[in-house]
Amino acid sequence: MTAVEDRPGVPSDDAAAPEIGRARRRKEDARLITGMTTWTDNMVLPGMLHLAVVRSPVAHARITNVDVSAVREAPGVIAVYTGQDLAEEQGSLPCAWPVTPDMVNPGHPSIAVDQVNHVGEAVAVIVARSKAAAQDAVELADIDYEPLPVVLDMEEAVQDGADLVHDHLESNTSYHFVFDAGEMGTGSDTDQAFADADVVVSRRFVQQRLIPAFMEPRSVVVQPQGDNYTMWSATQIPHILRVMAAMVTGIPEHKLRVVAPDVGGGFGGKLQVNPEEILCLLIARRLGKPVKWTETRSESLMTAHHGRDQIQYVDVAADREGNVKGLRVRLLADMGAYLRLITPGVPALGAFMYPGIYKFPAYRFECDGVFTNKVPTDAYRGAGRPEATFAVERIMDELAVELGMDPLELRRKNWINAEEFPFTTVAGLAYDSGDYETATQEALQLLGYDELRAEQQRRRESGDPVQLGIGFSTFTEMCGLAPSRVLGSLSFGAGGWEHAAIRMLPTGKVEVVTGSTPHGQGHETAWSQLVADSLGVPFEDVEVLHGDTAISSRGLDTYGSRSLVVGGSAVVKAADKVIAKARKIAAHLLEASEDDLEFAGGKFSVRGTPGTGLGIQEIALAIFAAHDYPEGIEPSIDAEATFDPENFSFPHGTHLCAMEVDTETGFVKIRKYACVDDVGTIVNPLIVEGQVHGGLAQGIAQALYEEAVYDDDGNLTTGTFVDYLVPAASDLPHFDTGNTVHAAPGNPIGAKGVGEAGCIASTPAVVNAALDAVRHLGVTDIRMPLTPERVWRALHDGGDGGERATARTNAQAVDSTDAPSTSGGAL
Amino acid sequence: MTPITVRVDGAAYTDDVEPRTLLVHYLREQVGKVGTVVGCDTSNCGACTVHLDGEAVKSCTVLAVQADGCEVTTIEGVGQDGLHPVQKAFHEMHGLQCGFCTPGMIMASIDLLEDNPDPSDDEVREGIEGNLCRCTGYQNIVRAVRHAAAEMRGGGGGSRNGHVSPAVVDTAAAPHVAVQA
Amino acid sequence: MIPAPFQYVRPTTVEEALQAIADGGEDVKVLAGGQSLIPVMRLRLAAPETVVDLGRVAGLRGVRDDGDAIVIGAMTTHSDVLSDPLIAEHAPLVAEATATVADRQVRHRGTFGGALVHADPAGDLPAVALALDAEFVIAGQSGRRTVPAAEFFVDYLTTAVEEGELLVEVRVPKLTGSWGMRYEKFNRVAQAWSIVAVAAVVRRENGRIAEARVGLTNMGPTPLRARQVEEALAGAEATPEAVAAAAQRAAEGTEPSSDLNAQADYRQHLATVLTRRAVTAAAGL
């Protein structure tokens, strides 16, 4: 039990009610609402030293001289390391996804040795007795740089003769990835489809660079104990980090323990092997002392990996009646300066989702991964799929306009009908289940669609300065990453299974060990619900352990909406094995045949003799004592299971946004947002709703607020929360949410995954809504984020409002001793 | 070093601090109140919110020396006789996910409710505009604050702003289509 | 980040404060509420040798009635301003603009005088002070002097407060007659600074606009008065059309900056729209 009473109205003594589907209040909350948390930065160890990183102030330069002598003499400084000092032992940060056989990977030092390739790259590391002393010494490092030309613009970077990010490479292109449905045999010839089409619509969309901006800054503590090392890190992936850190540093895997304690959000941003994690390990090994590094928010925004940053060229072909005939997508994907863990794979992951929910007969996708002098991109909530969904949902609206059709009618004409599931798409994916029509009908009702359309008409007719628009996004996504064999066919460096173990304690309590690593998702609660139902034990009797490789030895962690679908399934499979083992004991103790036993409500009983029986918690005690058990079996009912899904799961939904646009100022305001999602079986509706809300906030933020902007020299100008606009409560609307439920056939729970749905679906709904409001005024596109200025420029100057409004200069250049605007104008 | 005396969560502490020590670092590193966290360096995120002499402040934007002689309440001190109604409401309404912003969010909400015991949804949203949450999309936080407000006003007390919507309906009994606003 | 080390002085009187500033060496910063200063010190964009904390200086905090004006102490916090009955009665525009400053926590610490002396072009209070023809009382070791708002804001982040001086209080004249007011703020998200904002104060008489004062936020390195608008409004009929026509002149002569949030020409456009809206509301139209 948590410290708080359970919700009135859901009787906690109703043991018969299934746990799956109950709005259980979270077990995790007890420590989080009281401040009794174990964030990595809370950790203090005897003799612990603190690191500060000296970072490159320039985007592209050769390092000509490094003088850290003054740093060494600074008060409190114990040691300082440069790239040269660590060059021999630092290895290269791993990239686990070579998407093509000839992908070019320049390697990624944790600390720059002779060249820096983005602002913020580590050039020296200071070790001091206090964090303040380490930070004070940063400015004493004297490093000379010989500037190189800065490469920022992808379209320029892929031209012949362009300046190079890595001058030992032939070009700025890391790889060229192609998926052609005609060649793969999953569709017809794309060129032919376009040649035969009545209508072709082509657009260029810009997926701006975003920053995951998890609330807990990254933090690492490494403690050396002889030749053993324990690393605590604010990471989503302790298991993957352990393997990778061992491979990078040469520390044997069994000598390295990685712990993810309480972790404050990730959203893909903590799906990484960070330079600072490796540096902490190397320095702790050198010094034989525990070390800690905790980033500042400015460091986080500048150096933690970014997301998105793609330019999409999208062509759609259709006949006059509105039947889609083909889809062609060409991407430029900004890798940044290096390839991190799955940098190149993000656009490739999206490659299969561009056809969306529509029955395109022909499809071709190509993508160039491009190096620039910016911080690398990598996973951010949705990772490839938001970009794909945006492109297809935006181009369907453009096609509807071209054909003079209602955007919903066009979608309906082309989407997969409920009776057609399972449906193999032109991208070769087998969509598992769903019903797009029902979800859409429910969403229209939730929004109050007809009334809003009527109001839109009134506003148009009266020439109201505030116009109203409604935007659609009928989306699906691939979740439950991932079938290991499919990952293998995509050259991914690992599998997609998940592991679980169940330990039955003598008192009947249950420990569940999961390889999924939560950082806000509520695994402790949801997994307890799964096990309570499977084993028939009380919810309160289950404890879920995770995030420590010494406790949870096997796992592939949390990302890609995989935890419940894959990790939860492993838990259910492990519970099945516990029951199978316990059945043998029960049969022995009840002196009955196994075949005559039935298991229900946590109890084995002999069929036809109600009232007799043995609870699984009693069996746990009996087998702990082990005084009386059958010959030939071991005295344990503990069990483990590894679940490897056969297929992805495909959540879907209809998202509707009603948007007010002030045509005088360009200010946009969401009037109403409604969505109906089908995420399969819902284990905990409270958690599902929360995941949808959070995803919506981030997807809406991409549409309206957030953009990582670099100036012409490669400096991040959105380097604090003053300029990188994470929305606050008053910037977001109330969300009206609902669900349809079509269980996923590919896993024992029937869950499809929910973590990314809101983020993937909402962005195009919002942009489509804004365009719907002003399209009659001649606007055909507005670049994200839809800043008031861009909207105003699109209204007044034509175009997407993007070029001039992406300011790269600040005319009010601030002297460094002056005080620029920080938070809100109050000294 | 400058000597200061600060009462934190009911206990008096006398310590020497460097003048540059931020209140949040003093609380975390010298007093051990690690429930209060640091999320940014520009006083935007509000994760470090505590009460200084009864008013919510961002403890990353106050020097420890400025708190000399003052009373500080952190997340660890609001519920010393059991949980505060706002803490309970965050749990009840699922107003948190990763929980990193939660201490600051709760401290800001308590402060808001002292000024406005019956806020509307919009007033809650404005009242907590100094606190960023990346997980929840804020909707359940708004519910939590209004739920706590109702509790603190005394159970069945009327609200000029209508009822608080429940955090979620239980969909167990209605698996196919369960729509709720 | 942690600020660089500094000497800390906490005077209890204005005289001690002035002495501390004089003694503080080359690089002294005065700490009022600290809500802008501490973040820039944390980012190490400022690293003063000495910080003089006015937090315990008696008599700098509070609002008093002084006949034809109210007097707001420099260390009066924004939340004090919001709850002050004198301000609510005689200068509600100050409260309206203050309510848009940052957030509750920042308003608990941030001060009226601090925000004015900081003189950030995107700050909300300078344009309001300008529109209300406030007067600034500045103390130095040689005594006190009073500077009208029109001469107080000298340049980007620069005011008439000289080295060695302190702003001690601000006199805001009471408005007599039938005045209406509005602060129209435009920004992208709740916490953000104004992209542009307009403070309007309008006196109506017999269906006409007798007098209008319009202050512009973030339309240049200092807050500005939109004099052409004021002239066009003086004596004009109180109609939406007349206001709209006058508001068209709001950006004349301005040279706003271009930055991440807006290019200069967009700011100029916004100034005309927001001026129309602010004056319309202030005129009760």
Side-chain angles (χ1 to χ4, degrees):
Chain A
M1 269 302 266
T2 60
V4 185
E5 279 182 81
D6 209 345
R7 180 188 175 217
V10 180
S12 54
D13 56 350
D14 184 1
E19 282 291 341
I20 292 182
R22 277 173 81 157
R24 277 287 189 186
R25 274 44 188 169
R26 297 196 322 167
K27 293 183 170 184
E28 292 85 344
D29 295 353
R31 63 182 187 274
L32 298 170
I33 58 176
T34 52
M36 292 189 282
T37 35
T38 57
W39 313 112
T40 301
D41 189 52
N42 291 3
M43 181 151 310
V44 178
L45 296 169
M48 189 168 81
L49 300 172
H50 299 263
L51 305 192
V53 180
V54 181
R55 297 187 180 280
S56 171
V58 291
H60 201 200
R62 265 184 258 287
I63 299 171
T64 53
N65 187 46
V66 178
D67 179 358
V68 290
S69 52
V71 177
R72 277 205 183 83
E73 300 308 315
V77 170
I78 303 298
V80 54
Y81 299 97
T82 67
Q84 289 294 349
D85 295 332
L86 299 172
E88 296 302 311
E89 62 196 274
Q90 67 168 323
S92 174
L93 290 169
C95 173
W97 202 337
V99 290
T100 62
D102 57 353
M103 182 185 85
V104 175
N105 181 358
H108 188 346
S110 290
I111 180 168
V113 178
D114 44 30
Q115 181 168 319
V116 289
N117 293 309
H118 66 82
V119 168
E121 197 168 350
V123 290
V125 185
I126 297 166
V127 188
R129 293 176 64 188
S130 71
K131 186 169 178 168
Q135 289 184 349
D136 288 346
V138 166
E139 60 201 50
L140 301 175
D142 188 5
I143 296 157
D144 296 333
Y145 300 94
E146 178 189 312
L148 295 167
V150 178
V151 180
L152 297 171
D153 183 297
M154 279 194 284
E155 285 169 328
E156 289 171 15
V158 294
Q159 302 297 320
D160 288 339
D163 293 325
L164 295 177
V165 174
H166 300 281
D167 56 12
H168 60 287
L169 303 181
E170 287 175 9
S171 76
N172 290 315
T173 303
S174 170
Y175 65 85
H176 182 71
F177 175 92
V178 178
F179 176 88
D180 188 301
E183 288 168 18
M184 296 300 287
T186 54
S188 54
D189 183 75
T190 313
D191 290 342
Q192 195 61 48
F194 275 83
D196 294 345
D198 296 336
V199 177
V200 172
V201 175
S202 301
R203 290 286 184 274
R204 172 181 177 274
F205 298 130
V206 178
Q207 291 285 331
Q208 81 270 29
R209 185 174 269 253
L210 299 178
I211 306 180
F214 34 78
M215 289 313 300
E216 181 208 13
R218 294 173 300 164
S219 181
V220 190
V221 170
V222 174
Q223 181 177 37
Q225 297 151 293
D227 60 353
N228 282 270
Y229 298 87
T230 302
M231 174 191 288
W232 291 264
S233 183
T235 180
Q236 291 174 233
I237 53 159
H239 296 91
I240 295 171
L241 177 57
R242 181 199 195 193
V243 178
M244 294 295 176
M247 290 165 76
V248 170
T249 61
I251 293 170
E253 190 180 351
H254 63 303
K255 300 288 186 185
L256 177 60
R257 171 187 174 197
V258 177
V259 185
D262 283 326
V263 175
F267 317 109
K270 290 174 180 168
L271 167 49
Q272 193 55 270
V273 178
N274 288 296
E276 296 83 0
E277 287 164 331
I278 300 301
L279 292 170
C280 282
L281 256 184
L282 297 178
I283 291 169
R285 181 166 68 180
R286 282 225 181 174
L287 294 175
K289 300 290 287 180
V291 299
K292 182 199 272 188
W293 170 79
T294 300
E295 69 183 352
T296 65
R297 178 57 60 182
S298 319
E299 261 182 313
S300 188
L301 294 171
M302 184 168 61
T303 67
H305 74 244
H306 293 173
R308 315 280 191 266
D309 206 348
Q310 299 175 1
I311 299 173
Q312 306 171 308
Y313 308 89
V314 187
D315 310 318
V316 66
D319 65 20
R320 271 280 153 219
E321 289 68 48
N323 298 297
V324 295
K325 295 297 183 184
L327 182 66
R328 230 170 14 205
V329 177
R330 192 163 64 81
L331 281 194
L332 293 178
D334 195 336
M335 305 286 96
Y338 300 106
L339 303 181
R340 282 196 186 162
L341 193 58
I342 60 163
T343 300
V346 169
L349 194 56
F352 302 92
M353 292 315 299
Y354 280 84
I357 64 169
Y358 308 110
K359 294 181 277 187
F360 285 97
Y363 170 53
R364 180 178 168 83
F365 171 92
E366 19 182 345
C367 171
D368 285 308
V370 182
F371 292 118
T372 61
N373 291 115
K374 302 177 204 163
V375 79
T377 57
D378 207 306
Y380 171 51
R381 204 168 193 169
R385 292 156 291 162
E387 298 94 312
T389 302
F390 181 88
V392 71
E393 289 303 305
R394 279 284 298 112
I395 202 86
M396 288 300 276
D397 264 30
E398 297 301 306
L399 179 61
V401 170
E402 183 69 26
L403 292 168
M405 279 179 80
D406 178 83
L408 181 54
E409 276 318 301
L410 178 68
R411 284 171 167 80
R412 195 173 263 139
K413 198 174 186 98
N414 289 288
W415 72 35
I416 300 157
N417 295 307
E419 61 276 12
E420 294 176 282
F421 288 97
F423 183 91
T424 301
T425 74
V426 71
L429 295 174
Y431 288 5
D432 50 2
S433 68
D435 178 353
Y436 305 142
E437 180 65 45
T438 304
T440 301
Q441 289 300 336
E442 294 293 336
L444 290 170
Q445 250 182 31
L446 264 184
L447 188 76
Y449 180 75
D450 294 338
E451 287 164 39
L452 286 165
R453 275 286 186 228
E455 181 183 334
Q456 177 184 38
Q457 193 56 35
R458 287 197 301 276
R459 285 179 186 264
R460 281 199 186 177
E461 283 164 5
S462 68
D464 195 315
V466 177
Q467 289 290 310
L468 183 67
I470 299 174
F472 290 88
S473 172
T474 49
F475 86 106
T476 189
E477 53 160 332
M478 55 196 273
C479 285
L481 306 186
S484 297
R485 292 185 194 89
V486 175
L487 290 180
S489 73
L490 293 171
S491 310
F492 186 65
W497 48 262
E498 193 48 89
H499 189 75
I502 294 181
R503 303 201 288 245
M504 300 298 295
L505 305 181
T507 57
K509 308 295 183 192
V510 184
E511 283 180 343
V512 177
V513 182
T514 176
S516 293
T517 303
H519 38 284
Q521 296 88 345
H523 291 19
E524 292 169 30
T525 304
W527 278 215
S528 296
Q529 291 179 266
L530 293 176
V531 170
D533 270 4
S534 290
L535 297 183
V537 300
F539 172 77
E540 295 78 11
D541 283 358
V542 184
E543 185 71 18
V544 178
L545 308 175
H546 56 78
D548 179 343
T549 60
I551 294 169
S552 160
S553 55
R554 274 169 64 77
L556 285 171
D557 306 314
T558 287
Y559 43 85
S561 303
R562 72 187 303 270
S563 287
L564 183 62
V565 178
V566 189
S569 295
V571 169
V572 170
K573 295 278 188 188
D576 289 345
K577 290 186 182 177
V578 169
I579 295 164
K581 286 184 165 184
R583 182 180 295 274
K584 290 186 191 301
I585 316 291
H588 176 79
L589 294 174
L590 292 168
E591 298 178 341
S593 156
E594 275 186 59
D595 298 337
D596 291 337
L597 291 185
E598 53 189 23
F599 180 69
K603 207 165 189 183
F604 289 98
S605 52
V606 182
R607 212 166 273 127
T609 53
T612 65
L614 200 52
I616 197 162
Q617 294 177 293
E618 296 170 83
I619 295 173
L621 181 59
I623 205 68
F624 169 73
H627 298 159
D628 182 15
Y629 64 101
E631 296 292 334
I633 65 167
E634 56 186 39
S636 166
I637 58 171
D638 293 357
E640 303 192 14
T642 301
F643 180 73
D644 192 6
E646 294 284 322
N647 188 12
F648 297 98
S649 53
F650 296 89
H652 73 81
T654 296
H655 286 232
L656 301 174
C657 177
M659 176 77 88
E660 291 177 359
V661 179
D662 182 339
T663 57
E664 290 185 326
T665 62
F667 192 81
V668 295
K669 180 171 188 289
I670 294 178
R671 165 79 168 273
K672 195 158 190 203
Y673 195 98
C675 61
V676 174
D677 285 287
D678 194 321
V679 298
T681 304
I682 292 173
V683 172
N684 185 324
L686 202 60
I687 292 175
V688 164
E689 191 197 30
Q691 287 289 321
V692 171
H693 288 170
L696 292 176
Q698 290 181 21
I700 290 169
Q702 172 170 16
L704 300 185
Y705 301 122
E706 296 181 22
E707 180 172 24
V709 180
Y710 284 86
D711 69 13
D712 290 338
D713 296 325
N715 297 301
L716 182 70
T717 56
T718 51
T720 69
F721 277 158
V722 177
D723 295 309
Y724 190 81
L725 300 183
V726 171
S730 43
D731 305 314
L732 291 170
H734 180 88
F735 310 120
D736 293 304
T737 61
N739 293 106
T740 60
V741 178
H742 290 80
N747 66 73
I749 301 167
K752 292 181 174 176
V754 68
E756 295 158 301
C759 190
I760 291 171
S762 56
T763 313
V766 173
V767 176
N768 281 338
L771 285 166
D772 186 55
V774 295
R775 200 180 280 276
H776 66 292
L777 301 172
V779 179
T780 58
D781 196 15
I782 307 170
R783 176 94 63 93
M784 294 190 292
L786 273 55
T787 66
E789 179 174 14
R790 284 183 179 159
V791 176
W792 179 76
R793 285 198 191 283
L795 277 163
H796 291 266
D797 306 347
D800 69 1
E803 297 302 340
R804 289 200 57 207
T806 308
R808 280 197 169 159
T809 53
N810 187 340
Q812 253 168 23
V814 181
D815 185 275
S816 66
T817 57
D818 282 342
S821 306
T822 53
S823 176
L827 197 73
Chain B
M1 289 290 191
T2 305
I4 60 170
T5 298
V6 186
R7 183 167 279 274
V8 183
D9 295 337
Y13 297 81
T14 298
D15 285 297
D16 287 332
V17 298
E18 274 193 279
R20 62 162 161 171
T21 304
L22 302 171
L23 178 58
V24 69
H25 289 137
Y26 172 69
L27 291 171
R28 285 178 57 80
E29 290 159 21
Q30 283 182 259
V31 184
K33 298 284 182 180
V34 292
T36 302
V37 295
V38 186
C40 76
D41 35 27
T42 48
S43 100
N44 287 85
C45 82
C48 63
T49 299
V50 300
H51 294 178
L52 181 61
D53 285 343
E55 288 184 328
V57 302
K58 295 181 176 179
S59 62
C60 76
T61 314
V62 177
L63 302 172
V65 286
Q66 290 179 286
D68 184 19
C70 298
E71 177 139 1
V72 174
T73 307
T74 77
I75 188 67
E76 298 175 53
V78 288
Q80 282 180 339
D81 307 315
L83 292 177
H84 188 281
V86 174
Q87 288 174 306
K88 283 185 192 165
F90 269 67
H91 174 64
E92 181 62 23
M93 294 288 160
H94 189 33
L96 65 151
Q97 291 180 29
C98 84
F100 194 78
C101 77
T102 306
M105 210 48 103
I106 289 173
M107 298 310 287
S109 301
I110 293 172
D111 181 72
L112 168 68
L113 294 179
E114 277 168 16
D115 271 7
N116 182 353
D118 184 16
S120 66
D121 277 13
D122 284 348
E123 286 167 345
V124 174
R125 285 178 185 272
E126 271 182 38
I128 58 169
E129 69 188 349
N131 295 69
L132 297 177
C133 168
R134 193 60 159 165
C135 293
T136 65
Y138 302 103
Q139 187 152 318
N140 287 343
I141 293 176
V142 174
R143 282 174 173 152
V145 176
R146 292 201 54 202
H147 181 71
E151 293 288 312
M152 290 163 74
R153 288 196 308 273
S159 165
R160 67 191 166 89
N161 295 305
H163 290 297
V164 186
S165 52
V168 79
V169 290
D170 211 313
T171 54
H176 183 61
V177 177
V179 171
Q180 61 96 45
Chain C
M1 281 282 278
I2 299 160
F6 53 82
Q7 296 294 319
Y8 175 75
V9 192
R10 193 164 67 200
T12 56
T13 65
V14 172
E15 291 65 35
E16 280 177 23
L18 291 168
Q19 191 60 49
I21 293 168
D23 295 345
E26 287 285 296
D27 194 0
V28 184
K29 285 277 183 198
V30 174
L31 178 68
Q35 302 301 287
S36 288
L37 179 60
I38 293 174
V40 297
M41 287 171 63
R42 290 183 69 194
L43 295 169
R44 301 210 175 182
L45 296 171
E49 274 177 43
T50 305
V51 169
V52 178
D53 178 4
L54 300 184
R56 308 286 164 101
V57 177
L60 287 184
R61 187 167 173 176
V63 184
R64 68 173 199 275
D65 195 323
D66 191 30
D68 59 351
I70 57 171
V71 180
I72 305 173
M75 286 295 288
T76 307
T77 65
H78 298 307
S79 47
D80 289 345
V81 165
L82 288 175
S83 61
D84 189 87
L86 287 172
I87 290 175
E89 186 182 350
H90 298 295
L93 184 64
V94 172
E96 190 188 343
T98 299
T100 73
V101 172
D103 54 62
R104 288 177 61 83
Q105 293 98 310
V106 170
R107 291 194 294 267
H108 280 143
R109 298 290 297 170
T111 64
F112 185 71
L116 290 166
V117 176
H118 187 40
D120 193 303
D124 297 297
L125 299 178
V128 170
L130 205 56
L132 293 175
D133 284 336
E135 293 178 322
F136 293 76
V137 181
I138 297 168
Q141 283 194 309
S142 54
R144 297 194 173 198
R145 62 195 179 99
T146 299
V147 176
E151 293 166 23
F152 184 75
F153 301 101
V154 174
D155 202 346
Y156 181 67
L157 302 180
T158 307
T159 68
V161 178
E162 300 283 347
E163 266 183 48
E165 291 186 321
L166 276 180
L167 175 70
V168 289
E169 58 192 29
V170 180
R171 295 171 54 86
V172 181
K174 292 178 183 172
L175 297 171
T176 51
S178 176
W179 289 88
M181 314 177 185
R182 171 76 92 182
Y183 189 65
E184 193 75 27
K185 177 167 177 168
F186 191 83
N187 55 8
R188 280 181 65 195
V189 295
Q191 283 197 356
W193 292 68
S194 292
I195 294 174
V196 175
V198 176
V201 194
V202 174
R203 183 165 60 86
R204 281 181 64 172
E205 227 174 58
N206 307 325
R208 292 192 171 266
I209 293 173
E211 185 183 354
R213 298 190 220 143
V214 178
L216 304 176
T217 296
N218 216 7
M219 287 299 292
T222 66
L224 300 172
R225 284 282 283 269
R227 298 285 181 195
Q228 287 85 344
V229 177
E230 294 177 2
E231 282 163 22
L233 286 171
E237 278 185 64
T239 63
E241 295 72 28
V243 171
Q248 280 303 319
R249 308 191 60 187
E252 282 179 19
T254 62
E255 290 181 10
S257 67
S258 291
D259 57 31
L260 271 178
N261 291 312
Q263 299 283 315
D265 62 332
Y266 176 59
R267 280 204 160 89
Q268 291 184 320
H269 165 75
L270 283 178
T272 64
V273 175
L274 300 176
T275 297
R276 191 193 77 221
R277 291 180 181 180
V279 173
T280 302
L285 295 173

